[in-house]
Amino acid sequence: MTTPARYAVVGRPIAHSLSPRIHAAFARETGIALTYTAIEAAPEEFEAVLAAFVAEGGRGLNVTLPHKERAFALCAEATPRARAAGAANTLTWTGGGWHGDNTDGAGLVRDLTERRRHDLRGRRCLLLGAGGAARGVAPLLLDAGVSELIVVNRTAERADALCLALGEPARARARYWDDLDALGDFGMIVNATSLGREQSRVGLPFGLVAPGHCLAVDLSYGEAAVPFLAWARAAGCADAVDGLGMLVEQAAESFQRWHGVRPDTGPVYAALRARADALATAD
Ligand code: ATR
């Protein structure tokens, strides 16, 4: 009997990662034999953990906080979308080095446009944050056809750097957090900050929300998404979406890269959503 191919997600903290559960479900659904584990690694251990994984026959890794930029930096080759993000969440061992991809932005757009049937084209979009999560989704939001992408970050220099890297000065521009009141209203607001992990309330102006058709998205899920989504509903957003669908879709993109098959994400998403709802009710 041949040993199943090895895959894993690496991050810190990693104990609560849903990726092993998602990839196991995809493997069952597609009949592909694999193992997929979670590996905890501190930043200083990252390179050594990857070397050990390859030495043990590992083929592919998902990379999550806080390693996505580091992962990209050690790739011998990378997709344009990983280069645009300067961050990789999907590593594939080629035999001589790592190939890097970033499936986060594609996962987000697929969740919003195909599962939820939102049309992103022509929307004026506010992107809050300029860290790894924001960099992963920004190029794909432009590709999806938003009319403007206004990037606002607590540390203004990071927003400037992100917009410079996007290379579309006519559509993607940085603005100051202190000027949020003066930016007008938006048809889409994406929270890519870790604000919700630190604070129970987000003090954003309600005037950011275009009445009747604003889509609010938090890239995180569970407890971390609660403050922003509560704000979005109170502010009158037409829809307020967490990052659970994006998580499942980015995993499907990684799965397709590794195994050449796109899994049906519907059943896994439905199961995780039911679990998340049950946990929220139990709180
Ligand atoms: P990630 O990979 O999740 O993006 P990150 O690179 O550490 O992680 O970025 C966290 C983001 O949340 C940054 O945009 C950060 O702003 P700074 O660049 O100014 O640090 C933002 N953030 C974190 N705490 C915040 C807070 N209390 N208010 C506003 N933004 C915050």
Side-chain angles (χ1 to χ4, degrees), residues 134-206:
R135 289 216 305 274
V137 301
L140 278 291
L141 290 171
L142 289 173
D143 287 353
V146 299
S147 61
E148 266 187 282
L149 185 68
I150 302 297
V151 182
V152 175
N153 193 48
R154 181 178 59 179
T155 309
E157 295 75 20
R158 291 182 92 189
D160 290 339
L162 169 52
C163 288
L164 195 65
L166 289 169
E168 282 205 45
R171 275 203 299 164
R173 293 190 303 277
R175 291 286 181 266
Y176 292 114
W177 193 282
D178 285 347
D179 292 342
L180 277 172
D181 266 325
L183 297 181
D185 63 15
F186 292 86
M188 180 174 184
I189 303 176
V190 178
N191 180 31
T193 73
S194 48
L195 197 55
R197 276 179 250 147
E198 298 160 19
Q199 292 172 206
S200 57
R201 286 187 72 249
V202 297
L204 298 168
F206 281 0

Side-chain angles (χ1 to χ4, degrees), residues 9-94:
V9 59
V10 58
R12 183 177 198 176
I14 204 65
H16 298 292
S17 171
L18 294 173
S19 293
R21 184 188 294 244
I22 295 171
H23 280 266
F26 290 165
R28 276 195 303 277
E29 183 210 313
T30 56
I32 292 171
L34 58 86
T35 66
Y36 189 109
T37 55
I39 304 174
E40 174 106 13
E44 63 277 13
E45 299 167 336
F46 186 65
E47 279 84 357
V49 163
L50 262 60
F53 181 73
V54 168
E56 289 160 14
R59 303 255 190 94
L61 285 169
N62 284 129
V63 180
T64 186
L65 285 177
H67 304 305
K68 289 183 189 181
E69 285 91 346
R70 212 181 187 99
F72 173 73
L74 59 79
C75 287
E77 12 165 351
T79 56
R81 61 194 186 183
R83 286 202 296 275
N89 75 337
T90 305
L91 299 183
T92 308
W93 182 249
T94 63

